[in-house]
Amino acid sequence: GAGVSQSPRYKVAKRGQDVALRCDPISGHVSLFWYQQALGQGPEFLTYFQNEAQLDKSGLPSDRFFAERPEGSVSTLKIQRTQQEDSAVYLCASSPRTENYGYTFGSGTRLTVV
Amino acid sequence: RKEVEQDPGPFNVPEGATVAFNCTYSNSASQSFFWYRQDCRKEPKLLMSVYSSGNEDGRFTAQLNRASQYISLLIRDSKLSDSATYLCAPWVVGAGSYQLTFGKGTKLSVIP
């Protein structure tokens, strides 16, 4: 596609519910990041994929968060047993290269846990 | 000390003014640097990349000072459309670490 696509655009979840957020990176992009952005804050790193390999998951806040990219293209961020503090915008970004290069962000998924 | 620090602002400047933002980073292993702009309730968009001492693109100039570990962004002849939050992001690759780390951003409002 022309850009990074994320779905759903908005998600309201009841506390304790599991959610899955999808990211379709730009076709052929090797690198993929997930970020979490709370209101008034900068994006906080969650995890990084190079093709299908998850090379850095040091930013995932707890074992309730899980990300995968099984075929090196589409990625899913799953949050189990959602809590109110999980409410944020979840941003996905991709890049055609593995080394230092600017990343293109998707529009994000705004998650609200009630 | 936080990894990336930015003055949150807001910077309120008149149209046509020159404004500069600084960003300091703590990880000396940072290899390259990026400035992103983020409009309200939108995703960050890449503004400039800085790989060596600096970069210039039209009205925008980014400078890097590795010795002092800071990056600056200068905007000349400010336009109303420049109003946004500007995020600084060093890129670090280390053992098991691949991170583009963002500051909290500096808010700019250009007023008529």
Side-chain angles (χ1 to χ4, degrees):
Chain A
V4 178
S5 177
Q6 292 188 246
S7 61
R9 187 76 176 87
Y10 301 94
K11 176 70 180 177
V12 178
K14 290 186 178 178
R15 193 171 57 177
Q17 187 179 351
D18 297 349
V19 298
L21 312 181
R22 178 186 168 103
C23 173
D24 274 279
I26 295 172
S27 180
H29 275 201
V30 170
S31 295
L32 186 147
F33 281 106
W34 281 100
Y35 284 86
Q36 179 190 61
Q37 187 171 24
L39 192 64
Q41 304 294 313
E44 293 281 343
F45 169 81
L46 292 177
T47 188
Y48 170 74
F49 288 88
Q50 197 174 100
N51 296 307
E52 69 278 3
Q54 188 175 23
L55 298 186
D56 189 344
K57 55 181 180 180
S58 62
L60 296 176
S62 76
D63 59 8
R64 296 187 296 104
F65 287 71
F66 172 76
E68 60 183 4
R69 193 186 185 197
E71 296 177 359
S73 55
V74 171
S75 178
T76 304
L77 177 66
K78 297 179 180 177
I79 309 174
Q80 297 178 321
R81 304 181 304 282
T82 51
Q83 304 294 316
Q84 282 193 316
E85 61 263 28
D86 300 334
S87 296
V89 176
Y90 290 85
L91 294 161
C92 175
S94 72
S95 170
R97 290 159 58 172
T98 58
E99 61 273 21
N100 50 4
Y101 199 76
Y103 285 76
T104 302
F105 281 85
S107 300
T109 293
R110 184 175 298 274
L111 173 66
T112 304
V113 181
V114 297
Chain B
R1 182 182 173 187
K2 293 185 179 176
E3 287 192 55
V4 183
E5 293 199 55
Q6 296 184 252
D7 181 343
F11 284 63
N12 299 313
V13 303
E15 269 187 290
T18 295
V19 61
F21 312 131
N22 280 338
C23 167
T24 58
Y25 60 95
S26 61
N27 192 333
S28 59
S30 300
Q31 295 154 327
S32 53
F33 306 84
F34 302 90
W35 281 101
Y36 281 78
R37 71 167 278 165
Q38 187 171 28
D39 294 287
C40 188
R41 301 178 78 85
K42 297 285 189 182
E43 73 275 19
K45 288 192 160 79
L46 181 64
L47 181 65
M48 294 188 76
S49 308
V50 187
Y51 299 110
S52 55
S53 60
N55 192 9
E56 184 172 330
D57 183 4
R59 298 182 295 109
F60 298 84
T61 301
Q63 294 285 341
L64 168 63
N65 185 320
R66 285 191 186 273
S68 301
Q69 294 187 201
Y70 78 81
I71 323 145
S72 63
L73 178 68
L74 182 78
I75 305 175
R76 289 180 295 276
D77 188 23
S78 300
K79 312 288 185 194
L80 294 176
S81 57
D82 294 334
S83 297
T85 296
Y86 290 83
L87 299 163
C88 153
W91 164 248
V92 180
V93 175
S97 174
Y98 299 77
Q99 294 195 17
L100 190 65
T101 304
F102 285 87
K104 291 187 177 181
T106 298
K107 185 172 181 181
L108 171 66
S109 292
V110 181
I111 51 183

